[in-house]
Amino acid sequence: MTTLKVSVGADDHVKGDENAPCTLVEYGDYECPHCARAVPIVKRLEKHFGKRLRLVFRHFPLSQLHPHAESAAETAEFAAAGGKFWEMHDLLFDNQDRLGMALYEELVEELNLSGSEWSKALESKVYLPHVRDDFAGGVRSGVNGTPTFFINGKRNNGPFDYEYLAQAIDDALRAHTG
């Protein structure tokens, strides 16, 4: 079984109780249509499992297929520095068909972040190392497509529909409690 090689840490984008008995790590790409389809599924899982589930999102931009994926991830990292990662995450997926500099500028403004600081950050590629570290960690963990999910450190090799993921999380919770 393929396992997560990079533990969840301070650099990760985390939602939920840090002591939750189950952690769902997603490697995703903002330009991937399958990842966009996974967003409402993950939100439904979050609602269903409540405090028993912690969510983590890591960047895995498939830049050769998706020319806007890396810049979108950098924009999400910029928003994270302003405490608005998850808001930007959702807005990028909601507007996936419009990814590009004009959209990022619009979203930065919508989230009341500094447009000039965002522009400088993208030009200087200040957040690119984080994005590429996420990607490299995904490669080491056996990620070869998006979205890829890990449930308590074990790669989900099945589909990413709600029913399958909910059952896998239930199984992980049962294993956790013994």
Side-chain angles (χ1 to χ4, degrees), residues 34-45:
H34 304 295
C35 293
R37 236 174 8 101
V39 170
I41 294 167
V42 171
K43 286 183 186 280
R44 191 171 163 201
L45 292 168

Side-chain angles (χ1 to χ4, degrees), residues 3 12 20 22 26 32 38 42 50 57 60 71 73 78 95-96 102 109 114 131 144 149 155 157 159 167:
T3 59
D12 281 309
C22 187
E26 177 184 1
C32 165
V42 171
F57 184 88
F60 200 80
S71 59
F78 172 77
N95 294 284
Q96 186 180 61
E109 185 176 320
S114 167
V131 172
N144 55 12
F149 293 96
R155 182 178 161 159
N157 291 319
Q167 184 61 55

Side-chain angles (χ1 to χ4, degrees), residues 15 29 34 39 51-52 54 60 83 86 94 100 107 115-118 120-121 132 134 139 143 146 150 165 167:
K15 253 170 114 173
D29 170 326
H34 304 295
V39 170
K51 292 185 177 217
R52 298 179 296 159
R54 174 173 71 153
F60 200 80
W86 292 104
D94 287 349
L107 298 180
S116 63
E117 288 181 28
W118 162 77
K120 285 180 197 168
R132 292 202 171 154
D134 275 4
V139 170
V143 174
T146 56
F150 290 83
L165 286 173
Q167 184 61 55

Side-chain angles (χ1 to χ4, degrees), residues 17-90:
D17 188 337
E18 99 177 49
N19 297 314
C22 187
T23 298
L24 179 68
V25 175
E26 177 184 1
Y27 280 89
D29 170 326
Y30 290 107
E31 201 167 353
C32 165
H34 304 295
C35 293
R37 236 174 8 101
V39 170
I41 294 167
V42 171
K43 286 183 186 280
R44 191 171 163 201
L45 292 168
E46 181 182 13
K47 186 174 180 181
H48 177 76
F49 288 100
K51 292 185 177 217
R52 298 179 296 159
L53 183 64
R54 174 173 71 153
L55 304 174
V56 176
F57 184 88
R58 290 181 176 164
H59 305 289
F60 200 80
L62 299 170
S63 300
Q64 292 184 342
L65 295 172
H66 302 141
H68 303 292
E70 196 167 78
S71 59
E74 288 181 85
T75 299
E77 285 303 311
F78 172 77
K84 297 186 176 179
F85 173 80
W86 292 104
E87 292 91 333
M88 184 62 81
H89 167 276
D90 290 351

